[in-house]
Amino acid sequence: MEEVSASARTPADFLKSIKGKPVVVKLNSGVDYRGILACLDGYMNIAMEQTEEYVNGQLKNKYGDAFIRGNNVLYISTVKN
């Protein structure tokens, strides 16, 4: 049996590490929200700041703060600089 190394990270560790950083949140509908991850809870409800809404890759709206219900989230990704 293979042992898990001490440096192995869980999804919860990843989510804690990206708080306050730029992220992309993709919804089940295909819409992307890009902004700063302010906080999230165990249900994947997300609060974002400086949020931009992209539909089919095109900017549609800009929001100061946005709240996204967790059951709509397909994935959360960090933004590569």
Side-chain angles (χ1 to χ4, degrees):
M1 199 180 261
E2 192 174 315
E3 285 189 38
V4 177
S5 70
S7 64
R9 292 179 46 185
T10 67
D13 293 335
F14 168 73
L15 293 171
K16 287 176 191 169
S17 74
I18 63 171
K19 206 183 244 188
K21 296 185 179 168
V23 295
V24 175
V25 177
K26 181 123 183 151
L27 303 187
N28 296 326
S29 65
V31 176
D32 290 350
Y33 288 91
R34 301 175 190 180
I36 308 298
L37 180 66
C39 62
L40 64 131
D41 65 13
Y43 296 102
M44 294 295 288
N45 295 318
I46 298 169
M48 297 175 69
E49 300 170 341
Q50 302 170 29
T51 310
E52 297 176 334
E53 178 183 43
Y54 288 83
V55 178
N56 297 322
Q58 297 204 353
L59 179 63
K60 291 293 179 187
N61 257 317
K62 289 187 178 186
Y63 306 102
D65 294 331
F67 300 93
I68 301 170
R69 188 171 171 180
N71 68 334
N72 294 313
V73 176
L74 183 61
Y75 67 77
I76 301 173
S77 171
T78 56
V79 174
K80 295 181 182 178
N81 292 333

